[in-house]
Amino acid sequence: MLIRYTVENFLSFHERNTFSMISGRGTLKSFHKTNKLNGVSVLKAGVVFGANASGKSNLIKALDFGRRFILNGGLGNDDIWEIPVFRLDPEAAHRNVYMEYEIRYKGKNYAYGFEFNGMGVVREWLYEISKSGQKLLFERDETTDARFDLSALYKKNPVEEQMRFLEFVAMATPGKRLFLTEIVSRRVKENVQDISDLLAVYDWFLHVLRVIFPESRYDAGLFSGLVDNKDLQHVYEKMLNYFDTGISGICLKSLNDQEFRIPDVIMNEIKEVFSQEGSENRIITLMNASTQERYLLNKDSGTGKLRIQKFMTKHHSLQPGQVDVYFEPREESDGTNRIIDYIPLLLDLLKGGKVFIVDEMERSLHPNLMYNIFELYLRLIEDKESQLVVSTHESVLLTQKLFRKDEIWFVAKNHQGESSLYSLDEYNVRFDKEIRRDYLLGRFKAVPRMGSSYDVVDLLKSTE
């Protein structure tokens, strides 16, 4: 679970801003929050509103930048990194970028963060957070001679050999790489007794946090599970029916090599994968971005040959007694294809232990569908620990009938081009008040500041 995320000097976030999923004092919709762990209860949903160019997408880009930074260990080997710092203040180019993630994972709360600039990593730290306070697990400060404080790791790995190995990895960590990533890439766990906290934090970024942008899709995982799984296919059909797509069912149409038109070089690579030992349970998913076509490839358990299946939708014929009509994904609407994208996401969330951050989730979707997605998610997530956080323009979601006040966030940009984050919970708003109208009227500031239409009309007329 994401507890808090803090960012400074990145894109439009000039000063330090924090997005928090810690539940407030409100007692309504208590099933929207987790049980307390070390005194902290975390929300399971969040929606971020704001005008165009206010910084909503920049918040998600920052979250994803940090995630990729951690998993990659750095940004490359160039002499100087090009960091997207706040560009409207010339002094910002000489300041560090600051990011910190507070997370809950495997029964513990952690705070992991780092500061960096175009030359490399300046600071890095990891704390375990408990009721009694915070316990340092390691700290790095490139501005000091010592560079690293590994005393907590030494206590967990008291053998002289192990301490020396940890010290060697720390001292050998390049200035442009994170120590956390170096610990994983150098397979330190095979040489020391206990670095479980560091591995857990890295694992959270690798397997729990998922960031989805408007142009990206989430087909992984459960989508591939459709192969030979009638129960899961039935779930897809039920959900497509729930969202009123007009689809009566789905099917996986078998294709031969000639019907599966892809470049020979790719086809040969696929066949090479399935020729290897242990590929019997392997499933490969492919998608043609331009045609929306989705393919599932696996080895037939009976013949051992490559099996190619194409995902298709079914619609009832207008003529009674006639067979169903099969549609290609490109024949479905953009909204229907977006729903198909989101079904694996929702099913993964319902398994528990996932955090999805989605930018502009409403793209191509009717407002009622957005409402229904969250209504369904919040009903089903009551006994699970997953999170769904989205940025959106869709004001139909701006209602206390669906969300708690502390789940609603706004991003606004001032005249200096600086984005700032704040929650509805900061406003004195009654729990039964409908807030959509006040938002559109500008009470919460996160709406466009339009200029005078008369000036624009006069200008355009003068060009005729």
Side-chain angles (χ1 to χ4, degrees):
M1 304 286 280
L2 177 66
I3 300 174
R4 278 188 294 215
Y5 171 71
T6 302
V7 60
E8 177 184 342
N9 194 31
F10 190 86
L11 295 172
S12 57
F13 290 97
H14 188 203
E15 303 301 329
R16 192 165 297 187
N17 275 261
T18 298
F19 174 75
S20 175
M21 294 293 287
I22 298 175
S23 62
R25 297 179 180 178
T27 57
L28 296 178
K29 302 180 179 68
S30 59
F31 62 93
H32 286 206
K33 58 183 183 179
T34 66
N35 294 326
K36 287 186 177 182
L37 176 65
N38 289 318
V40 178
S41 182
V42 186
L43 297 165
K44 300 178 183 180
V47 283
V48 183
F49 296 89
N52 288 326
S54 62
K56 299 188 307 300
S57 293
N58 284 346
L59 172 65
I60 295 179
K61 288 176 182 176
L63 273 158
D64 186 57
F65 185 97
R67 181 190 68 86
R68 290 185 290 108
F69 187 80
I70 292 161
L71 297 181
N72 296 333
L75 298 177
N77 296 318
D78 296 337
D79 290 339
I80 299 178
W81 290 336
E82 290 189 14
I83 308 296
V85 299
F86 183 77
R87 294 184 59 194
L88 300 182
D89 177 7
E91 293 300 317
H94 307 292
R95 288 169 48 201
N96 297 333
V97 175
Y98 176 102
M99 291 187 180
E100 183 179 65
Y101 297 79
E102 292 180 50
I103 66 173
R104 171 187 295 187
Y105 192 50
K106 295 187 176 181
K108 292 184 177 181
N109 295 338
Y110 298 101
Y112 173 65
F114 40 88
E115 290 185 49
F116 59 96
N117 55 41
M119 301 301 294
V121 179
V122 179
R123 291 185 61 234
E124 184 183 0
W125 60 91
L126 176 62
Y127 289 86
E128 181 186 342
I129 311 297
S130 64
K131 280 185 178 180
S132 58
Q134 55 185 24
K135 180 175 71 175
L136 179 67
L137 297 177
F138 81 81
E139 186 172 23
R140 169 188 186 181
D141 189 342
E142 296 288 346
T143 65
T144 64
D145 293 335
R147 289 186 68 203
F148 283 88
D149 180 350
L150 304 179
S151 54
L153 291 178
Y154 292 158
K155 288 180 181 178
K156 291 190 173 189
N157 303 275
V159 178
E160 183 70 23
E161 243 179 41
Q162 296 178 3
M163 289 193 289
R164 286 182 180 176
F165 189 82
L166 287 168
E167 183 181 16
F168 168 77
V169 173
M171 293 300 105
T173 298
K176 293 184 178 180
R177 283 180 63 82
L178 293 166
F179 176 63
L180 180 68
T181 318
E182 201 75 358
I183 285 284
V184 176
S185 63
R186 287 180 178 264
R187 307 179 76 169
V188 173
K189 69 175 181 179
E190 298 174 4
N191 296 278
V192 298
Q193 181 176 321
D194 185 4
I195 52 168
S196 56
D197 292 313
L198 280 69
L199 296 177
V201 170
Y202 185 88
D203 191 66
W204 186 85
F205 287 98
L206 181 63
H207 292 119
V208 176
L209 180 62
R210 292 287 184 272
V211 182
I212 299 176
F213 293 98
E215 65 279 4
S216 59
R217 290 176 169 81
Y218 185 72
D219 283 342
L222 283 164
F223 185 77
S224 62
L226 288 171
V227 175
D228 299 326
N229 190 333
K230 298 296 182 183
D231 290 338
L232 185 56
Q233 292 178 26
H234 182 64
V235 170
Y236 267 72
E237 292 171 359
K238 281 290 187 183
M239 293 190 74
L240 288 168
N241 181 261
Y242 170 79
F243 290 118
D244 194 28
T245 61
I247 294 173
S248 61
I250 63 172
C251 77
L252 299 178
K253 179 183 176 182
S254 295
L255 304 178
N256 57 40
D257 286 5
Q258 288 71 39
E259 293 172 309
F260 185 50
R261 296 183 296 274
I262 62 171
D264 290 341
V265 62
I266 298 178
M267 190 63 179
N268 291 335
E269 289 178 3
I270 291 171
K271 289 181 177 180
E272 173 63 25
V273 169
F274 285 111
S275 69
Q276 297 172 6
E277 186 177 349
S279 62
E280 292 79 10
N281 299 319
R282 181 79 180 268
I283 298 174
I284 293 178
T285 62
L286 296 176
M287 180 173 177
N288 186 322
S290 60
T291 64
Q292 305 284 324
E293 292 172 326
R294 295 170 169 86
Y295 300 95
L296 296 164
L297 296 86
N298 71 315
K299 185 183 289 187
D300 189 284
S301 57
T303 65
K305 294 182 178 180
L306 178 62
R307 183 167 62 161
I308 305 166
Q309 295 177 292
K310 184 178 185 179
F311 179 87
M312 300 190 74
T313 57
K314 293 190 292 187
H315 293 256
H316 290 312
S317 171
L318 292 178
Q319 297 299 323
Q322 295 296 311
V323 296
D324 289 327
V325 179
Y326 291 85
F327 278 43
E328 301 272 2
R330 67 174 179 272
E331 297 177 287
E332 300 287 0
S333 69
D334 290 342
T336 295
N337 278 301
R338 203 63 175 155
I339 288 293
I340 292 172
D341 291 339
Y342 285 144
I343 289 176
L345 181 152
L346 288 170
L347 294 178
D348 255 355
L349 282 169
L350 298 182
K351 289 168 63 180
K354 294 292 184 181
V355 177
F356 282 94
I357 314 289
V358 186
D359 188 26
E360 295 186 19
M361 189 175 183
E362 77 275 12
R363 181 78 63 91
S364 301
L365 294 180
H366 188 278
N368 289 349
L369 281 178
M370 280 294 295
Y371 191 100
N372 290 344
I373 286 173
F374 267 102
E375 185 178 46
L376 179 66
Y377 164 72
L378 289 167
R379 283 183 184 177
L380 295 174
I381 206 69
E382 185 168 348
D383 61 342
K384 302 290 193 307
E385 289 204 354
S386 284
Q387 287 174 311
L388 176 58
V389 178
V390 306
S391 71
T392 182
H393 292 287
E394 189 44 71
S395 61
V396 73
L397 296 178
L398 199 54
T399 172
Q400 294 186 86
K401 292 180 180 178
L402 186 60
F403 294 109
R404 296 163 49 103
K405 287 196 297 183
D406 47 14
E407 295 173 318
I408 297 173
W409 283 77
F410 303 103
V411 183
K413 187 178 284 187
N414 62 21
H415 291 292
Q416 285 74 45
E418 301 169 308
S419 294
S420 57
L421 281 163
Y422 49 97
S423 169
L424 180 65
D425 207 29
E426 300 174 24
Y427 288 81
N428 185 22
V429 177
R430 284 177 50 90
F431 71 89
D432 57 350
K433 181 176 176 60
E434 279 304 311
I435 54 179
R436 182 184 181 191
R437 182 173 179 273
D438 285 353
Y439 166 70
L440 295 174
L441 289 175
R443 178 183 175 189
F444 307 117
K445 298 181 290 185
V447 292
R449 298 185 298 270
M450 306 298 289
S452 168
S453 62
Y454 294 104
D455 293 341
V456 176
V457 169
D458 289 343
L459 175 63
L460 294 177
K461 283 186 175 180
S462 69
T463 63
E464 292 178 354

